[in-house]
Structure formats: structure tokens, C-alpha cells
Amino acid sequence: MSSKVTVRDVAKDAGVSSATASRVMGNYGYVSDEVRAAVLESARKLGYRPHALAKSMVKGETKTIGFVVGDIENPFFASLAKYVNALISLQGYTMMVYTTDENVEEEVRGVDSLLSKQVDGLIIAPSSDKEVSHILAAQSAGVAVVLVDRPLPNLDIDCVSVDNVQAMQEAVSFLLDLGHREIGFLSDSLEISSNQERLAGYTKAHNDHGLTVDEALIKVTGYTVMDGYRGAVGLLSSPQRPSAVVTANNFMTTGFLLAAHDMGIVIPDAISLIGFDELDWYKLTNPPITTIAQPIKRIGQEVSRLLLSRMASKGEITHPETVLLSTHLTHRNSTRKFA
């Protein structure tokens, strides 16, 4: 019943105009204490509940944010969304998630859709470093925007990510120090800026050891686990099969593990593996997987801090902040010395 009660009903019961009742319920404009009390009593008696969007039009905010990610089924983004949602909810915000399947056209539609819902802020993990006009348009419209995981250095927008170059350089250097010289790199799209940085770290580690990267050992595929599987099969069935592989994210790691299992290739006896991203079940595999662990909770904290700060300033662009966090190379049993 309460959902059918309107401001007009409240106004009639209180014996005032609809405009006066609206001022009371919207908490704007002047109304005498006596009239305010009468309107509020009528609203309580009738079970009136203000319409959230109508209130937002008065206050200039909807208390909602949008989170645009490549795939919410990706454990990294799912965990990140959980942390961000927990933090922003403490400030009275709710979150809407839009997943793009790493398709920039879908990302544009997602941002447009969220803007039409008058979100106060946007968190975006860009699927491409080439098409960014929709991100700039959101920022120009006064909406607070924070990039996560995937920096776009040429844009004046806040961003939180890890030091991808250093992370991958450390992992590949570790394998090189074990004696490996043919190290595969399994990644999804290189239009994703974090993948570009991870490839740069892979290359830098080789160069630091006086080695040249063999392009045949770099496999770029689609973003799903099955894409990772197919990419891994390509690496593992190559006449020049690598003795070790590093992956660019957890979907690629999972695809690689499935392919190695199906092909009867034993880790680390036949091939060493280091995966980017830490998943709980990587500790339970045989062998447990060596990983590059990202500080997801800390990323969520920094993203929330920046977004709340920008929303408080109504998206005003003043000294965009780039937060670059460190990863941790978690050593387990999926690597061994090259014999």
C-alpha cells in the first residue's frame, strides 16, 4: 500500500498544497514548523515513502556509483567489487555493476547506460587504450571517474593499479635465474593497458639478462578461460615448446592448467608456471601454483578513497592521482630449476 501513496495524498491529508508537501518531503525551501509537523505526521500515517530519484533531483545526487568491468566472473574483479561495495556502502552509496565481455563497444553502452541513471561516480577498468572518448565524456559531464587495474597515462584521470612492469620483471627474472631461457608469455588482448605493461616487464627481464625475446613464445588470445586453454595448447604443442610460462591473469592461468592436464604435461617436471593473480584454490592444486599476488583489498580501499573524494568535489579535476601498488611473488611448487 505504501508504494501507492503519493505526495498529493499526503498534501490532501495534511490540508496543504502539493508544492508545500513536496518542500517538506524534499527538505528544501521554507515551510513553517507547524506545517512541517502536519505534513510529516500525514506521511507517517499514510506510510508514504519518498521516491529515491525524485529526491536525487533535488539534492543533485543519486547516491549510486557504476562499476564497469570486463567480466564480473573474473575472481579479481568479483573480489574487488566486493571490497569497494563494502566501503562505499558505509557512506550511503549503492553500486551498479556493468560487465562488458572486454568489448569496447559494450563498454561505451555501459557507461552511457549508467550515466543515464545519473550515477554520481564511475569506476572503470578500460578494455582498450584506444577508444576513450566515452570516459572523457563522463568526466566532462561532471561525473567522478576513477580507473582501476588498467591505467591510461595520457588521460588526466585518477587511477589505481599495481606496478605491472616490476611484477612481471621479477617473476621472469626468477625463472631466468633458475636457468630457463625459453619462457612463454600467455595473455589476452594487448589493447588492455595492464597486459601491455606485463609484456613490457617480461621483455625487460630478458633484456636485463642480455637476452632477446623470442616472439614465437608470446601467445595472445581472447579473454576467457577457454581462450587461455587454446592459447596454452598452442604453446605446449609447439616444436619450440617453452620450459616455463608466465600468464597475464588468472583466466589465462586456469586455461593453462586445464590444457597441461589434458595433454598429460606435468608441472613443474615438464614445464614451470607462474600465474598473475592469486586465487585461493591455487594453494590446493598439485602442485600449488607460484603466483604474482595483487593486493586486492588495498586496491579497493584506494579506489573507494579516490572516488569518494572526487564525488565530494563534484568531479572537479584537480591534480589527478595515480596510485601504484606493489605485488608479491608468492613462491610455491610450480617452478623448478631448468635441467
Side-chain angles (χ1 to χ4, degrees), residues 159-312:
C159 180
V160 181
S161 68
V162 297
D163 191 338
N164 290 295
V165 176
Q166 174 60 34
M168 189 59 76
Q169 181 184 358
E170 180 184 0
V172 175
S173 293
F174 174 72
L175 291 171
L176 290 168
D177 290 341
L178 289 177
H180 296 278
R181 289 298 178 266
E182 294 188 330
I183 301 172
F185 179 82
L186 179 60
S187 176
D188 53 341
S189 173
L190 292 181
E191 286 193 15
I192 296 173
S193 62
S194 55
N195 288 340
Q196 296 172 19
E197 293 178 341
R198 292 166 194 178
L199 179 58
Y202 169 89
T203 302
K204 190 173 189 306
H206 282 80
N207 293 341
D208 288 348
H209 283 71
L211 301 171
T212 301
V213 169
D214 185 347
E215 298 292 334
L217 296 177
I218 298 173
K219 181 66 69 173
V220 179
T221 182
Y223 82 95
T224 68
V225 169
M226 288 312 299
D227 288 328
Y229 179 97
R230 286 186 283 269
V233 169
L235 280 173
L236 295 173
S237 60
S238 169
Q240 189 182 352
R241 193 173 84 187
S243 63
V245 168
V246 291
T247 65
N249 58 58
N250 64 77
F251 274 8
M252 298 296 103
T253 305
T254 302
F256 184 89
L257 290 171
L258 291 170
H261 176 271
D262 288 352
M263 297 174 72
I265 296 173
V266 179
I267 300 170
D269 296 354
I271 193 165
S272 291
L273 172 66
I274 297 179
F276 209 109
D277 291 333
E278 169 77 351
L279 302 184
D280 287 341
W281 62 267
Y282 286 168
K283 298 188 285 285
L284 306 176
T285 58
N286 185 23
I289 306 303
T290 296
T291 61
I292 302 166
Q294 300 194 69
I296 301 179
K297 184 175 182 179
R298 177 78 188 284
I299 294 172
Q301 291 171 337
E302 292 296 326
V303 167
S304 301
R305 175 184 66 81
L306 284 173
L307 189 66
L308 289 168
S309 174
R310 288 300 179 198
M311 288 190 296

Side-chain angles (χ1 to χ4, degrees), residues 31 133 212 283 313:
V31 179
S133 58
T212 301
K283 298 188 285 285
S313 65

